[in-house]
Amino acid sequence: MRRILIVALALSLVLAACTSKDGGKDGGKGGKRPATVDGIATGAGTHQEKIDVGTPGHREYLLHIPAKVADGKWKDGKLADKPALVIALHGGLANMKQMESLTGFDKLSDGKGFVVAYPDGFMTTWNAGSCCGAAKIGKIDDVGFLSKLIDELTGAGLADPDRVFVTGFSNGAGMAYRLACEKPGKVAAIGVVEGSLVTECDPDRPVSAMIFHGTADRSVPFNGGGNRDFNDKRPFPPVSRAVDFWRRLAKLPEPHENVKALSGNTDCQGTGKGEQGVEVTFCKIQGGTHAWPSEASEMLWRFFDAHPRKG
């Protein structure tokens, strides 16, 4: 028994030497990683976090931190090299965990070294303007929520404020549009998958945008149509309207440059980069339905990585 106790004590001393009292790791790369920064977990993996938005209750999000970031260079409790941040917004009647599973961004994050946040909508919906559901009816300030999320993660030094990217699916894609419309200074680029621009939009600066849409989408029809919400029978505008809006805002030509896609049924055309490196790319998925394309996540990251905010 005494020998077992001695072995256990020795093991505990070894572990204590590898981990700081607050749970941070001392990797010998410029200092110890704190267990949290401004209350946000810093360890490798996915953490469920809460954020106070000044209303009753709180909002939640998942935060995935790759080992490349957690084990990177820390100095005085701060990351020396701040990573990019991708915020992924789930579709209507879904949640943050489903978005994490749907996109596969965690695996990409681990390989490429960017941080991913998966926020939860209000009662499974986002207030994207004239859509959708409970969030719209309740006039939930989702722009405020997402803006504060960005501020907290960049303010804590866990993300580069010039490399914040927002993507979404369906209702979440509409929310990505709205955030870019109202807070363009907070995002470098957006990625829209099977979504529609259904909010008033008058940003004071352009953002880069990559837009995916299937020609056989019946929920948000490619050429417009359907109903915006259960209590709003107005049709969705065609996807071309959103493509034209963002390129004209940036004074860009119509998409004409071929962009390499990862599957044969996806045809991507880009405008080329304009002022401050802004670009719009439109990916038409022949026969694509209301679903997240298997190639979307990798292509979105490739686009995001090439379009940091400038100026």
Side-chain angles (χ1 to χ4, degrees), residues 259-268 283 295 299 302:
V259 176
K260 184 179 179 180
L262 301 179
S263 66
N265 67 333
T266 300
D267 176 25
C268 296
C283 293
E295 69 267 32
M299 291 183 67
R302 190 169 65 191

Side-chain angles (χ1 to χ4, degrees), residues 24-34 70-78:
K25 180 179 179 181
D26 185 359
K29 298 182 180 180
K32 294 181 179 180
R33 172 183 57 78
D71 298 340
K73 186 176 180 180
W74 294 77
K75 185 176 181 180
D76 299 326
K78 299 291 185 180

Side-chain angles (χ1 to χ4, degrees), residues 122-143:
F122 177 78
M123 296 180 66
T124 72
T125 59
W126 299 101
N127 182 4
S130 58
C131 180
C132 291
K136 181 192 73 174
I137 293 171
K139 298 181 180 180
I140 302 301
D141 183 12
D142 281 324
V143 170

Side-chain angles (χ1 to χ4, degrees), residues 13-14 31 35 39 94 113 150 156 173 188 231 252 269 272 280 295 306:
L13 290 174
V14 170
I150 292 169
N231 61 352
L252 296 168
Q269 300 286 320
V280 174
E295 69 267 32

Side-chain angles (χ1 to χ4, degrees), residues 228-250:
R228 295 189 184 187
D229 208 350
F230 74 96
N231 61 352
D232 189 339
K233 303 305 179 183
R234 288 179 296 167
F236 287 107
V239 64
S240 60
R241 184 177 299 178
V243 176
D244 287 344
F245 174 84
W246 292 106
R247 71 166 183 83
R248 287 173 178 168
L249 181 68

Side-chain angles (χ1 to χ4, degrees), residues 183-270:
K183 299 289 183 179
K186 292 191 178 295
V187 297
I190 57 173
V192 174
V193 180
E194 308 300 328
S196 184
L197 178 58
V198 290
T199 187
E200 294 183 7
C201 197
D202 186 23
D204 58 11
R205 61 180 293 169
V207 300
S208 293
M210 188 174 209
I211 299 169
F212 287 83
H213 216 104
T215 59
D217 187 336
R218 294 185 178 181
S219 297
V220 184
F222 185 89
N223 292 314
N227 299 326
R228 295 189 184 187
D229 208 350
F230 74 96
N231 61 352
D232 189 339
K233 303 305 179 183
R234 288 179 296 167
F236 287 107
V239 64
S240 60
R241 184 177 299 178
V243 176
D244 287 344
F245 174 84
W246 292 106
R247 71 166 183 83
R248 287 173 178 168
L249 181 68
K251 299 178 181 178
L252 296 168
E254 292 187 6
H256 61 282
E257 297 182 1
N258 289 327
V259 176
K260 184 179 179 180
L262 301 179
S263 66
N265 67 333
T266 300
D267 176 25
C268 296
Q269 300 286 320

